[in-house]
Amino acid sequence: MAAAAVGTLAVTLIPGPAQASPTSPKEAKAAAATANIEVIASKLNNPRGLSVQADGTILVAESGVGKPGCAAGTKCVGLTGSIYRVKGTQQGRVVTGLTSAAVAPTNPYEPISAAGPNDVEANGSGYLVLNGFGGSTDDRAKLGADAAKQGTLQTGSGWVVGDLVKHETLLDPDWVLGHPANPEEASVHSNPWRFARNGRGFLATDAGANDLIGVGFGGRTTTEAIFPDNELPAPGGAAAPSAKEKKVLESLAPQTKSVAADGTVKVQAVPSGIVKGADGAFYIADMGGLRPGASRIWRMLPGHRPEVFASGLTAVTDLAADKNGNLIALTLTGGFQQQGPPLPGKLSRIDIKTKAVTEIPTDGKLAMSTGLAVGPNNEIYVSNNSVGTEGQLIKVTE
């Protein structure tokens, strides 16, 4: 279905991308400003992607909590995924019973991290939902009937629009990147993350497969782009990731650390957010293996190869466009510590014309944030505390 599209692989980076590190006095002043943050909703179950409708209605994809009663240390699939809606003063779940996979914690105080609805948008009188996963069709089949829609783009009523896990299993497009064999990392690993409309079809990022998948008429899927690894300078080799970082990476896209003789380290792209810009191009972020400074933002005109638009960011999980045509980038975390919680995430505004990067103040209150959307008045919405059942929908205004 997509063998010809593999030729769109961007093997090398274009020279001179913007380096996303605020250094100007204006950027420093913005970073020191006080944020205006409001909690809109709380007690959300693994909240992920967001979307905002023209009337200000906010939709949140909740990945659920897996299957209640699942034995500790066992992965089970239940129907606890949902869509949460905030419309004016009314809020609550408007769709329930969506697929949700999770490993039941062995420690009762450990939050449940689930794979389920990762993104959502309104579709006429209903909804479109992109479900995450983390494996192949064989892995999905072993989890039982409730897992059938894991890794698919579906309607809220249950109709499957496109099957990204099937696409990855049949084609494994990123095999061309030449990742070394690793007994702890399966070659086929699909984890759909975000999607955007593309004419009458859709484009979806697959964080596990390192590619961008087109979903068209009749569920036809095509490989639109493959995102190459990023090489990081690390004299003497890179520091080993913490146990927490490893756990997060395993849920997104297993990483094989490859240290070259000169000390450089390759990390997988892990594509994440996607948004269509005011210039008609699609902008796609990658998480850069969660390594500091390894995230990139790619610009892709339909039918063309993606090119690096900005680099030097960290763990970008989502993108949005504001009403002025600028990009907003959401950072999951500034880094993982061997002890203690992950460092706070942040919001950055990127001028689409000059590529200047400005930090949007959040007072260090972003914690493992994964979803991002911009409202009709340029207010910014973020899904915060996105692992566990204490998730929040917050509003950031400047």
Side-chain angles (χ1 to χ4, degrees):
M1 290 182 290
V6 174
T8 63
L9 169 64
V11 178
T12 57
L13 308 186
I14 64 171
Q19 295 297 314
S21 54
T23 55
S24 71
K26 181 179 178 181
E27 291 166 339
K29 181 179 179 180
T34 301
N36 185 4
I37 296 178
E38 178 185 356
V39 177
I40 304 297
S42 57
K43 300 292 183 180
L44 302 179
N45 297 326
N46 284 281
R48 302 287 194 260
L50 311 174
S51 64
V52 181
Q53 297 171 243
D55 65 354
T57 298
I58 310 160
L59 301 176
V60 186
E62 290 184 283
S63 282
V65 293
K67 184 176 182 178
C70 181
T74 304
K75 186 174 185 177
C76 300
V77 177
L79 299 176
T80 57
S82 56
I83 299 172
Y84 194 95
R85 186 182 70 181
V86 178
K87 186 173 184 178
T89 59
Q90 298 181 332
Q91 59 178 266
R93 295 180 176 97
V94 290
V95 176
T96 58
L98 300 176
T99 185
S100 175
V103 176
T106 55
N107 181 338
Y109 300 103
E110 180 183 351
I112 297 174
S113 178
N118 265 346
D119 203 8
V120 60
E121 72 167 40
N123 180 41
S125 59
Y127 304 96
L128 281 173
V129 181
L130 182 68
N131 297 308
F133 183 46
S136 66
T137 52
D138 286 344
D139 298 322
R140 188 169 62 184
K142 292 175 183 177
L143 292 171
D146 287 345
K149 293 183 176 67
Q150 287 271 300
T152 67
L153 178 64
Q154 67 161 94
T155 64
S157 60
W159 180 62
V160 173
V161 179
D163 190 339
L164 281 78
V165 172
K166 183 178 179 180
H167 182 95
E168 163 70 358
T169 303
L170 291 174
L171 299 175
D172 190 16
D174 70 340
W175 72 269
V176 298
L177 299 179
H179 294 145
N182 181 358
E184 298 180 359
E185 175 189 346
S187 172
V188 174
H189 186 97
S190 176
N191 183 22
W193 189 256
R194 297 287 184 267
F195 73 100
R197 289 184 178 271
N198 180 29
R200 297 181 63 185
F202 305 91
L203 293 174
T205 59
D206 194 321
N210 296 305
D211 54 23
L212 181 69
I213 305 302
V215 180
F217 182 77
R220 181 174 180 267
T221 54
T222 54
T223 305
E224 298 297 321
I226 303 169
F227 298 96
D229 300 343
N230 200 356
E231 289 192 5
L232 304 179
S242 68
K244 291 181 179 179
E245 184 177 2
K246 286 181 179 178
K247 187 169 184 178
V248 173
L249 278 170
E250 286 170 0
S251 68
L252 296 170
Q255 299 279 308
T256 299
K257 188 179 76 172
S258 176
V259 182
D262 62 359
T264 57
V265 177
K266 283 188 174 182
V267 294
Q268 293 184 35
V270 193
S272 52
I274 179 171
V275 66
K276 190 172 185 178
D279 58 355
F282 286 93
Y283 291 83
I284 304 114
D286 71 46
M287 299 189 212
L290 300 186
R291 309 305 285 175
S295 275
R296 299 162 292 189
I297 296 176
W298 301 78
R299 180 178 184 272
M300 189 185 82
L301 286 168
H304 292 73
R305 298 183 181 186
E307 296 180 331
V308 174
F309 172 77
S311 63
L313 296 107
T314 298
V316 175
T317 54
D318 212 350
L319 289 177
D322 69 14
K323 302 308 174 183
N324 301 317
N326 300 309
L327 295 179
I328 308 295
L330 175 65
T331 291
L332 176 74
T333 173
F336 291 83
Q337 307 175 89
Q338 293 291 341
Q339 300 293 330
L343 298 175
K346 69 177 183 179
L347 288 169
S348 300
R349 176 176 287 108
I350 305 169
D351 188 302
I352 203 169
K353 295 180 180 178
T354 67
K355 301 183 182 180
V357 180
T358 305
E359 182 173 348
I360 300 170
T362 52
D363 291 352
K365 294 180 179 178
L366 298 188
M368 300 299 286
S369 302
T370 57
L372 173 68
V374 174
N377 297 313
N378 251 0
E379 70 276 27
I380 299 172
Y381 295 98
V382 174
S383 56
N384 204 34
N385 296 334
S386 291
V387 178
T389 57
E390 297 295 325
Q392 299 173 322
L393 170 65
I394 64 174
K395 181 171 74 171
V396 181
T397 53
E398 299 177 81

